[in-house]
Amino acid sequence: MIIGVLALQGAFVEHEQRLEELGAQSVQLRCAEDLQQSLDGLILPGGESTVMGKLLRELDMLEPIREKIRSGLPVLGTCAGLLLLAETIENDSRKHLATMSMTASRNAYGRQLGSFYTEQRFADDKIIPMTFIRAPYIKDVGEGVSVLASVDGRIVAARQRNQLVTAFHPELNDDTTVHAYFLSMVSEYKEG
Ligand code: GLN
């Protein structure tokens, strides 16, 4: 199982560590050529969505990634990665990959609560650690999107078929629940 981790900017090394702990291989994606190899899944890490979106365009990576997602490749987007996938960002006129039917709100927790830690249930299963850093949340989801976690009534994790997003950073804690959930999506995709 080989997971491509977008490595233009932000917290990608920690994702690779989590994948390694689960026995999955990862490869860093830094240019359009890197997208030509065969991948079983894709991770879009946290960082700064505006910077990542700009780099994806400049490096001609935006369209090929969008194509892969549209054709069913499993993708995990965390924090800024969630914003890259959102069809609409309510407080930003920019759109990036825009493949997932949801409206996200950027830097949604304001200044005081810019970064915080909490624990909450994920996917009707375990209670897991959640680290938020200048995080977005999901304001609204479209058809076919299931909500996997909420904090104080705000949606912070969701899935639409092959797309999984979290507003928090699952790679920054020891817990591997979210990555394991993602790898089970990858296994289903490979088998299907
Ligand atoms: N605030 C960032 C953005 O708007 C996201 C922060 C993060 O990924 N930790 O893209």
Side-chain angles (χ1 to χ4, degrees):
M1 190 179 277
I2 301 181
I3 309 297
V5 181
L6 187 67
L8 300 179
Q9 192 250 345
F12 53 87
V13 174
E14 294 85 351
H15 277 293
E16 295 191 290
Q17 284 163 359
R18 293 284 94 83
L19 292 172
E20 199 186 321
E21 282 158 22
L22 292 166
Q25 241 179 295
S26 63
V27 54
Q28 296 187 355
L29 306 175
R30 294 177 179 276
C31 61
E33 214 171 71
D34 294 340
L35 292 167
Q36 281 165 15
Q37 61 200 306
S38 148
L39 299 170
D40 301 310
L42 190 64
I43 293 185
L44 308 174
E48 200 57 47
S49 56
T50 49
V51 177
M52 266 195 270
K54 187 167 174 277
L55 288 171
L56 283 172
R57 281 181 188 86
E58 284 173 7
L59 295 165
D60 290 325
M61 294 175 83
L62 194 82
E63 272 310 320
I65 290 180
R66 188 184 280 138
E67 275 304 302
K68 284 180 188 294
I69 296 170
R70 290 240 160 94
S71 69
L73 186 74
V75 59
L76 165 63
T78 61
C79 205
L82 176 155
L83 292 164
L84 292 179
L85 291 170
E87 201 168 73
T88 314
I89 304 174
E90 71 161 359
N91 48 352
D92 192 336
S93 56
R94 279 164 286 216
K95 277 182 204 285
H96 307 287
L97 294 159
T99 47
M100 189 159 161
S101 312
M102 62 180 173
T103 300
S105 184
R106 233 189 124 197
N107 298 327
Y109 292 92
R111 269 200 176 183
Q112 274 179 326
L113 260 184
S115 300
F116 64 99
Y117 172 88
T118 189
E119 292 174 1
Q120 200 48 259
R121 196 170 299 281
F122 177 78
D124 286 329
D125 190 12
K126 281 198 282 181
I127 291 185
I128 63 163
M130 296 181 177
T131 297
F132 292 79
I133 302 170
R134 291 180 303 106
Y137 65 75
I138 302 168
K139 190 93 197 276
D140 233 336
V141 293
E143 232 171 89
V145 180
S146 14
V147 172
L148 298 181
S150 300
V151 170
D152 298 331
R154 290 167 164 176
I155 304 169
V156 297
R159 175 180 178 180
Q160 182 176 29
R161 290 187 299 275
N162 58 318
Q163 305 183 72
L164 173 67
V165 292
T166 66
F168 55 93
H169 283 262
E171 76 286 6
L172 296 183
N173 295 99
D174 284 343
D175 186 275
T176 51
T177 305
V178 172
H179 290 82
Y181 182 98
F182 176 60
L183 291 181
S184 71
M185 287 167 59
V186 173
S187 298
E188 269 169 43
Y189 169 73
K190 269 179 82 91
E191 282 157 21

